[in-house]
């Protein structure tokens, strides 16, 4: 089987990584297919993420997992090095970079379109230099005010997710007059900071931030009204995968379903999101959501 080997004359690779297919040229964001909902695979290079923490803690493991998701049909692989589960501990930007940059570089080399899940502009900048084509920031721009200038300068697309308060707190500010109206108002207000820095409207991707500072009913309200987010003139990303409100939906005998038991509900959300013309869904288990997108597309056609 092929492996990522060192170039001739540079000596043997330190850790050969078997590939399913030969290495291909890196893809660009502009190469993404149009006309259907995209699937973004979640790759957490962390010891403490809520669903898969520690599963891909080593670079080699993470690269293999990212390649598998790629060949399972993921259009984008979203690499993150810092958990945002409730009450998790922040890591330094330096540690975050040590975790993710080798993974980003290897996946890009293998022809994977890579997104980086980070709240730090310094990490985003180094990831872009390593070949990342998209920045996914779950902070609601509450962590690093340098992000708008970086996005404007690099021209890289940016996922602007809605959140209130510390992203690790459990529903810190979940009271809304109208969750849909309030999320739209707050996202458009933050969007202006990127415009002021010189970023283009086509760089901004909106994410309603399901599960971040929202209770279960708020998440469902946002999904029911996803067409209003679509109407703002930006691409929309939905990240419902394995989240607590799906666990509550599937509860048995008063006990929420465990994260790994939520993939069926996640795929159902993907199908409905695809039917509603959402630009992209972000999921842990790629295969079922790829099938759900195909099914929704066939139904619409």
């Amino acid at each position: 089987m092929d492996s990522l080997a060192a170039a001739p004359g540079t000596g043997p690779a330190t850790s050969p990584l078997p590939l399913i297919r030969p290495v291909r040229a890196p893809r660009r964001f502009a190469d993404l297919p149009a006309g259907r909902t995209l699937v973004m695979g979640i790759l957490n290079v962390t010891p403490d993420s809520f669903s898969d923490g520690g599963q891909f803690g080593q670079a080699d493991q993470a690269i293999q997992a990212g390649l598998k998701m790629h060949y399972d049909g993921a259009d984008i692989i979203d690499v993150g090095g810092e958990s945002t589960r409730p009450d998790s501990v922040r890591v330094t930007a330096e540690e975050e970079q040590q975790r993710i940059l080798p993974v980003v570089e290897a996946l890009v080399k293998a022809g994977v379109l890579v997104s980086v899940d980070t709240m730090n502009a310094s990490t985003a900048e180094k990831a872009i230099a390593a070949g990342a084509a998209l920045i996914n920031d779950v902070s609601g721009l509450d962590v690093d005010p340098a992000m708008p200038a970086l996005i404007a300068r690099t021209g890289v697309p940016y996922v602007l997710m809605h959140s209130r308060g510390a992203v690790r707190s459990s529903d810190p500010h979940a009271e809304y007059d109208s969750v849909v109206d309030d999320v739209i108002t707050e996202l458009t207000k933050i969007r202006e900071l990127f415009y002021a820095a010189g970023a283009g409207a086509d760089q901004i991707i909106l994410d309603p931030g399901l599960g971040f500072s929202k209770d279960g009913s708020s998440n469902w309200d946002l999904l029911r009204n996803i067409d209003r987010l679509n109407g703002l003139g930006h691409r929309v990303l939905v990240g419902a995968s394995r989240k607590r409100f799906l666990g509550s939906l599937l509860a048995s005998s008063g006990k929420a379903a465990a994260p790994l038991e939520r993939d069926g509900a996640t795929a159902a959300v993907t199908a409905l999101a695809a039917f509603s013309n959402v630009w992209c869904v972000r999921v842990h288990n790629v295969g079922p959501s790829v099938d759900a997108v195909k099914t929704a597309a066939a139904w619409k056609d």
Side-chain angles (χ1 to χ4, degrees):
M1 185 177 291
D2 292 336
S3 63
L4 285 176
T10 62
T14 56
S15 54
L17 301 172
L19 296 180
I20 302 172
R21 297 179 186 173
V23 172
R24 296 181 290 134
R27 293 167 56 195
R28 303 170 302 158
F29 190 83
D31 294 331
L32 286 167
R36 67 163 173 82
T37 295
L38 305 176
V39 176
M40 174 186 285
I42 300 169
L43 184 58
N44 291 318
V45 192
T46 61
D48 55 350
S49 291
F50 84 96
S51 173
D52 54 4
Q55 190 173 355
F56 312 122
Q58 300 300 315
D60 288 5
Q61 296 172 323
I63 294 164
Q64 289 297 325
L67 289 171
K68 183 179 186 305
M69 285 191 284
H70 175 60
Y71 295 123
D72 282 347
D75 299 289
I76 308 167
I77 303 300
D78 191 41
V79 182
E82 181 176 9
S83 173
T84 55
R85 69 174 176 80
D87 305 317
S88 61
V89 178
R90 285 221 66 183
V91 300
T92 65
E94 290 75 15
E95 183 175 353
E96 178 189 37
Q97 292 158 23
Q98 289 172 3
R99 291 176 178 179
I100 69 168
L101 290 179
V103 179
V104 172
E105 291 170 355
L107 292 178
V108 169
K109 182 178 179 181
V112 178
L113 190 67
V114 174
S115 165
V116 166
D117 177 2
T118 183
M119 298 178 280
N120 300 306
S122 62
T123 298
E125 184 167 21
K126 291 183 179 180
I128 292 167
L134 173 68
I135 299 301
N136 179 23
D137 182 357
V138 303
S139 73
L141 202 61
D142 193 44
V143 171
D144 195 336
M147 197 69 84
L150 172 69
I151 297 304
R153 176 166 55 82
T154 60
V156 169
Y158 172 85
V159 178
L160 170 57
M161 194 197 80
H162 178 271
S163 182
R164 283 184 179 180
V167 295
R168 287 167 182 76
S169 298
S170 179
D171 295 329
H173 300 289
E175 296 296 326
Y176 297 89
D177 293 331
S178 165
V179 67
V180 178
D181 291 340
D182 291 353
V183 165
I184 287 174
T185 297
E186 291 167 23
L187 283 175
T188 52
K189 182 178 179 180
I190 299 170
R191 177 185 65 181
E192 295 303 317
L193 299 175
F194 287 86
Y195 289 169
D202 60 338
Q203 290 178 254
I204 304 298
I205 299 160
L206 299 181
D207 180 345
L210 302 177
F212 285 82
S213 59
K214 300 169 188 73
D215 58 21
S217 63
S218 295
N219 294 321
W220 291 117
D221 283 345
L222 286 163
L223 287 172
R224 292 186 196 101
N225 290 276
I226 204 69
D227 59 314
R228 292 190 56 193
L229 277 175
N230 280 333
L232 295 177
H234 300 279
R235 290 164 289 201
V236 173
L237 182 145
V238 166
S241 183
R242 297 180 180 174
K243 289 197 172 174
R244 182 172 52 185
F245 76 103
L246 296 181
S248 298
L249 174 71
L250 304 176
S252 176
S253 301
K255 183 178 180 180
L260 294 179
E261 297 171 351
R262 303 170 190 173
D263 284 345
T266 297
V269 171
T270 291
L272 293 166
F275 202 82
S276 300
N277 299 313
V278 165
W279 171 72
C280 185
V281 293
R282 182 177 181 271
V283 299
H284 295 84
N285 191 355
V286 166
S289 281
V290 169
D291 291 347
V293 165
K294 292 177 181 177
T295 304
W299 188 305
K300 286 195 292 186
D301 288 344

